[in-house]
Amino acid sequence: MAQQAVGTPAYDASSIQVLEGLSAVRKRPGMYIGSTDARGLHHLVSEVVDNSIDEVLAGACSEIEVTLRADGSCSVRDNGRGIPVEIHPKYQRPALEIVMTILHAGSKFERNAYKVSGGLHGVGVHVVNALSEWLEVRVRRNGHEYFQRYERGTPVAPVVMVGDATSTGTETRFKPDGSIMETTTFDGETIARRLKELSFLNPEVTIHFSDERSGAQQTFHHAGGISEFVEDLNVAASALFRPPVYLHARRDTTDIELALQYTDGYNETTLAFVNNINTVDGGTHVIGLRAALTRTLNDYARERGWIKAEKEGLSGEDVREGLTCVLSVKVLEPQFEGQTKAKLGNSEVKGQVESAVNEKLSEYLEEHPSVSQSLITKALQAAEAREAARKARELTRRKGLLEGGGLPGKLADCHSRDPAQCELFLVEGDSAGGTAKQGRDREFQAILPLRGKILNVEKARLDKMLQNEAIRALITAIGIGIGDDQDVSRLRYHKIILMTDADVDGSHIRTLLLTLFYRKVPVLIQEGHVYIAQAPLYRLQKGSRIAYAFTDEERDKALSEFGGMKGVTIQRYKGLGEMNAEQLAETTMHPASRELLKVTIEDAARANELCQILMGEEVEPRRQYIEEHAVEVTNLDV
Ligand code: 0RA
């Protein structure tokens, strides 16, 4: 069949509008996708996948295939209805071209009520197009296949009919533009994680993922939805009951789904989604959920006389100890707040979630007395432990240990008293601690050496943790307190910098510290106070020329700049301790020459997950993990 253009190419006001729109996106990509780093890059993939998920939500799509191609492009193919190709009355062009170059996809077509158009999400596939070196779209619809190609967002030819089609659907393939994006290398694991999450949240869909660069292939389909999500989060833990509690309710136009399960551990894992977006910073829906949980469990326990009338009830912390839950709400007009737009702001949603969970959870408790008994017993034990922790804290406080006056003896504090200027280095080992002390700028840099292993918070309650000297020293130095006695305004250093060796022990300590922060003082990470120092792996010297390399690639680059191997001595640092104070200061500590990595809440969540797998009670997930990551963990000593 001969190729046939759809519509007539007319160069009029609408092409000017397209060009203006494109250049706005290319000039300020951050405004549309948050950043141009790896996070922004993966946001492009999400944006395209979300468009297919909208078809799933409209009940029109059951399969999505995401492929990372060998040429650095990514393609997303679905079996939805296909983007319309009919001539758009206002623009006199095929709707497909309009969606790809101007419109927020869906906004004019109302495919599904709960579109994500808040914050950085739902910005439209034209944004992906504008930030791509090239993008190709194929639509199967009306018995035909249509095709169009764009370069940097501009169509290079009209939409053409390229053949017949017996099915319907859309395939979008794009190669991110390296002149705008800081990185263009997709991370298969990051993408797979998001696809898996989407398959739990949308149990109707099957998502196939393949990475042609590595040959890896995975299929995600979870008919059990968010209940199965909770079970998956708890694979490495021992659950108090099975299956998880599942509730579904509607309040006004808001759809509310919740699955929860308790484990015999002490930590809380709550994942909250709004229109499929992970709201890592919580928001009104999470506040409503917490209020309902505390209220419902207290009411139930009091009605049965398990809490006496005169007694103080269960606190929020008590009812969340050992809780794993997934909350998924669908909101008509979501408002996302905060720096990363990961917090729900709609005030009406708090009451809606609270009322729905109050009603459905109390019904559930009435109908499942043995589950109710086990989870309330658990919360009552948590309340007792909280009381014990309070006493332990009082005791340490009276000894002056947790107060500003009694700073830990190991801390080499800085002179400045302005927290915004101050940095605290947490250094692995006394010897590297000593070097860091010599190398620091004592005006604003404080050093706390950490000896031995930090206690694993997965296995200890707060009262037990406070008996650990290293943890007490850490908490005291940081200043904001711990448990329900926290006050960020008492933070003594705005930068808390983990400085550990680049070996297995070092990464172990880093994982434990991140888990501790994530679990016990998450506000530190949420407000961006935690960093990881980057120490060099190599020192290269040729005569008086010295270079440091942080990766093998950098080492090779430095070597070629030196003009080859000849006369070059290469030192490979096995630990921080092998550097002298001056070298450590220059490469790793001094603000002008160092490189710090800011820890995100996702990084910390991953550290926590790793901790659960590697130190949890269950043997099987650990075995599986080690098998899958055999190369990276050959020397693991947990
Ligand atoms: C607008 C209207 C309709 C479908 C779509 C857009 C659509 C967009 C994307 C993006 C990726 N995959 C997609 N699939 C469909 C509805 C068209 C109709 O009613 O037939």
Side-chain angles (χ1 to χ4, degrees):
M1 180 189 121
Q3 294 196 353
Q4 191 186 328
V6 178
T8 42
Y11 296 94
D12 51 18
S14 73
S15 13
I16 294 167
Q17 193 179 338
V18 169
L19 289 174
E20 279 174 355
L22 288 176
S23 76
V25 177
R26 291 174 63 84
K27 253 192 210 131
R28 290 195 185 73
M31 294 250 302
Y32 298 85
I33 58 164
S35 62
T36 53
D37 55 10
R39 185 190 276 242
L41 178 75
H42 293 104
H43 200 100
L44 299 179
V45 181
S46 285
E47 194 61 43
V48 178
V49 173
D50 286 352
N51 277 292
S52 297
I53 292 286
D54 278 342
E55 279 296 276
V56 175
L57 291 176
C61 169
S62 60
E63 305 262 337
I64 301 175
E65 274 171 41
V66 178
T67 310
L68 298 178
R69 306 278 181 192
D71 64 0
S73 68
C74 168
S75 77
V76 178
R77 180 184 159 99
D78 66 50
N79 67 348
R81 291 165 292 184
I83 304 179
V85 291
E86 294 73 28
I87 299 299
H88 193 287
K90 180 173 158 210
Y91 298 95
Q92 287 301 306
R93 308 205 156 214
L96 174 62
E97 182 174 324
I98 302 305
V99 165
M100 288 295 168
T101 53
I102 321 178
L103 277 187
H104 288 199
S107 62
K108 266 282 176 287
F109 300 94
E110 294 308 340
R111 278 187 295 153
N112 108 67
Y114 301 114
K115 53 188 180 296
V116 271
S117 50
L120 304 174
H121 298 279
V123 288
V125 69
H126 70 286
V127 168
V128 178
N129 196 6
L131 299 176
S132 294
E133 187 183 314
W134 54 262
L135 181 148
E136 293 178 350
V137 62
R138 283 173 195 278
V139 166
R140 285 162 288 129
R141 196 177 156 88
N142 311 329
H144 302 294
E145 180 169 315
Y146 303 87
F147 173 85
Q148 191 169 32
R149 179 182 164 99
Y150 316 80
E151 288 174 8
R152 299 186 173 81
T154 313
V156 296
V159 174
V160 286
M161 210 197 262
V162 290
D164 297 336
T166 51
S167 58
T168 62
T170 304
E171 178 176 352
T172 308
R173 177 169 174 180
F174 69 100
K175 185 165 195 287
D177 189 342
S179 69
I180 293 183
M181 304 304 290
E182 286 158 52
T183 171
T184 53
T185 312
F186 295 112
D187 177 45
E189 274 188 43
T190 302
I191 292 171
R193 209 176 304 120
R194 172 67 180 151
L195 297 178
K196 181 174 172 185
E197 194 172 274
L198 283 170
S199 74
F200 281 122
L201 294 167
N202 302 281
E204 320 65 18
V205 76
T206 301
I207 306 180
H208 305 277
F209 175 56
S210 48
D211 188 339
E212 286 184 349
R213 302 164 311 175
S214 66
Q217 291 199 353
Q218 280 168 287
T219 294
F220 304 108
H221 175 67
H222 296 288
I226 61 170
S227 283
E228 212 179 319
F229 200 164
V230 165
E231 284 178 334
D232 187 70
L233 290 167
N234 280 344
V235 276
S238 9
L240 295 189
F241 54 84
R242 287 205 164 84
V245 179
Y246 173 80
L247 326 165
H248 187 188
R250 216 178 152 71
R251 287 292 183 271
D252 198 3
T253 54
T254 301
D255 188 85
I256 301 148
E257 251 193 307
L258 173 72
L260 66 87
Q261 192 173 45
Y262 281 83
T263 71
D264 66 358
Y266 306 117
N267 293 317
E268 178 202 359
T269 301
T270 295
L271 302 186
F273 298 85
V274 176
N275 300 3
N276 286 325
I277 303 298
N278 188 349
T279 42
V280 288
D281 295 330
T284 51
H285 54 328
V286 177
I287 295 174
L289 165 67
R290 292 191 161 165
L293 203 58
T294 311
R295 157 101 182 268
T296 308
L297 294 195
N298 271 298
D299 285 357
Y300 186 89
R302 281 197 196 277
E303 274 165 28
R304 278 155 192 77
W306 297 345
I307 300 173
K308 295 279 170 289
E310 70 284 1
K311 280 261 192 173
E312 192 190 319
L314 301 164
S315 74
E317 262 189 74
D318 299 336
V319 302
R320 294 196 300 272
E321 188 181 285
L323 173 70
T324 302
C325 78
V326 173
L327 173 66
S328 172
V329 301
K330 303 266 165 54
V331 178
L332 268 195
E333 303 268 342
Q335 302 296 321
F336 294 102
E337 298 177 340
Q339 219 175 29
T340 51
K341 302 284 180 201
K343 185 174 183 181
L344 183 69
N346 305 51
S347 57
E348 74 281 6
V349 177
K350 174 182 178 283
Q352 293 171 336
V353 173
E354 187 171 349
S355 134
V357 176
N358 272 336
E359 180 194 313
K360 297 283 174 177
L361 184 59
S362 47
E363 269 173 35
Y364 180 96
L365 294 177
E366 295 291 343
E367 288 163 15
H368 300 79
S370 71
V371 169
S372 310
Q373 187 158 16
S374 78
L375 63 86
I376 288 185
T377 306
K378 163 100 182 164
L380 288 168
Q381 283 167 359
E384 270 173 40
R386 176 168 54 99
E387 184 55 20
R390 196 186 56 76
K391 288 193 178 130
R393 236 184 354 242
E394 293 262 279
L395 205 69
T396 36
R397 178 172 299 145
R398 255 183 274 129
K399 286 190 200 147
L401 268 168
L402 280 177
E403 297 263 282
L407 288 168
K410 291 209 152 278
L411 175 74
D413 209 2
C414 53
H415 294 316
S416 168
R417 284 288 162 267
D418 174 9
Q421 302 297 320
C422 295
E423 303 180 344
L424 173 64
F425 283 83
L426 304 177
V427 187
E428 174 183 0
D430 282 340
S431 118
T435 315
K437 264 182 224 177
Q438 290 167 30
R440 69 178 171 147
D441 183 331
R442 48 177 73 233
E443 179 53 30
F444 65 97
Q445 295 184 318
I447 309 292
L448 182 65
L450 300 169
R451 195 159 27 128
K453 296 259 152 80
I454 299 285
L455 186 75
N456 176 15
V457 299
E458 280 302 319
K459 286 186 179 161
R461 266 197 182 121
L462 199 52
D463 53 332
K464 172 102 176 292
M465 278 176 46
L466 289 172
Q467 291 166 16
N468 179 293
E469 199 191 316
I471 290 184
R472 272 208 319 262
L474 188 60
I475 297 302
T476 309
I478 292 172
I480 71 174
I482 196 158
D484 49 13
D485 182 29
Q486 280 182 41
D487 178 0
V488 208
S489 70
R490 292 193 309 228
L491 180 62
R492 301 182 62 248
Y493 313 90
H494 279 201
K495 285 198 173 75
I496 296 165
I497 304 170
L498 317 190
M499 192 158 77
T500 57
D501 287 341
D503 61 5
V504 176
D505 277 350
S507 79
H508 189 179
I509 291 182
R510 193 169 61 225
T511 303
L512 288 171
L513 281 171
L514 288 180
T515 304
L516 171 71
F517 291 152
Y518 177 71
R519 283 306 183 184
K520 300 300 171 192
V521 272
V523 66
L524 282 182
I525 299 169
Q526 271 153 354
E527 298 196 358
H529 295 301
V530 182
Y531 296 81
I532 293 173
Q534 300 293 97
L537 279 181
Y538 301 99
R539 178 177 191 272
L540 295 88
Q541 181 163 21
K542 183 176 185 179
S544 60
R545 277 177 79 187
I546 293 169
Y548 294 96
F550 291 78
T551 60
D552 288 358
E553 291 83 58
E554 278 183 26
R555 175 200 57 195
D556 298 342
K557 195 161 157 246
L559 270 176
S560 70
E561 279 167 12
F562 277 7
M565 293 282 289
K566 204 158 169 271
V568 184
T569 37
I570 304 182
Q571 182 185 1
R572 191 186 198 297
Y573 292 122
K574 284 179 216 74
L576 299 167
E578 291 179 19
M579 271 181 268
N580 65 32
E582 203 184 318
Q583 291 167 349
L584 186 65
E586 186 193 334
T587 60
T588 317
M589 297 178 70
H590 196 279
S593 49
R594 72 184 179 198
E595 241 176 84
L596 294 182
L597 279 185
K598 190 187 263 188
V599 174
T600 66
I601 201 82
E602 288 92 350
D603 297 331
R606 218 156 300 138
N608 175 65
E609 210 174 284
L610 192 61
C611 245
Q612 272 173 356
I613 294 172
L614 295 178
M615 327 235 193
E617 307 289 330
E618 301 287 311
V619 177
E620 181 54 20
R622 172 165 46 230
R623 194 194 60 74
Q624 244 185 32
Y625 180 88
I626 292 180
E627 201 173 281
E628 281 166 24
H629 296 77
V631 205
E632 301 139 56
V633 289
T634 38
N635 301 312
L636 204 71
D637 57 347
V638 287

